[in-house]
């Protein structure tokens, strides 16, 4: 038999009520008052070790500016620092490298008496 078809002589039961875990409106209202105020900006006290590169060190020091901002102001500082560090790296790639070392004359292969290099495949004295 099918459960959807009522049986003769039997009363049909209403479907069971499903309770959803939705909080009452008063529980989802924004919380206000001193106990829910956002915290004031506070320094993160992240150590910044100097790198020896003045441009990079200046960018890293700029991170300290985020210490006195609320979190929504951090993005601007982080993007500025990221842009500056990226530019510094790009500048390093654009600089010419040191010149290639010149070969010392003593490192050139030595010629033997027959005019061949000293590493001649021919056996001498056989």
């Amino acid at each position: 038999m099918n459960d959807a078809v009522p049986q003769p002589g039997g009363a049909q039961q209403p479907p069971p009520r499903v309770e959803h875990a939705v909080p009452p409106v008063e529980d989802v209202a924004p919380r206000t008052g001193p106990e829910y105020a956002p915290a004031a900006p506070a320094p993160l006290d992240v150590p910044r070790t100097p790198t020896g590169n003045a441009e990079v060190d200046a960018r890293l020091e700029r991170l300290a500016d985020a210490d006195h901002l609320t979190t929504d102001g951090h993005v601007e500082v982080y993007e500025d620092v990221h842009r500056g560090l990226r530019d510094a790296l790009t500048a390093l790639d654009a600089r010419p490298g040191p010149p290639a070392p010149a070969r010392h004359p003593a490192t050139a292969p030595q010629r033997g008496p027959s005019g061949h290099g000293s590493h001649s495949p021919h056996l001498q004295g056989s």
Side-chain angles (χ1 to χ4, degrees):
M1 280 191 212
N2 189 338
D3 290 338
V5 178
Q7 297 297 320
Q12 181 149 355
Q13 297 290 329
R17 184 174 173 162
V18 177
E19 295 288 329
H20 296 286
V22 177
V25 175
E26 62 272 2
D27 286 349
V28 294
R31 297 179 191 254
T32 57
E35 67 273 4
Y36 295 108
L44 297 175
D45 294 324
V46 175
R48 288 176 285 279
T49 306
T51 64
N53 181 308
E55 185 177 0
V56 171
D57 291 342
R59 293 297 173 179
L60 293 177
E61 284 302 316
R62 168 93 165 93
L63 289 172
D65 293 345
D67 285 347
H68 67 274
L69 300 173
T70 58
T71 53
D72 59 348
H74 290 188
V75 173
E76 181 181 341
V77 172
Y78 294 155
E79 286 178 350
D80 180 49
V81 171
H82 180 257
R83 191 172 27 257
L85 292 173
R86 187 181 58 229
D87 291 347
L89 285 173
T90 301
L92 288 175
D93 287 341
R95 293 181 192 158
R103 286 189 77 175
H104 191 274
T107 61
Q110 300 296 317
R111 301 282 177 198
S114 65
H116 296 290
S118 61
H119 300 291
S120 174
H122 302 289
L123 296 174
Q124 295 177 359
S126 326

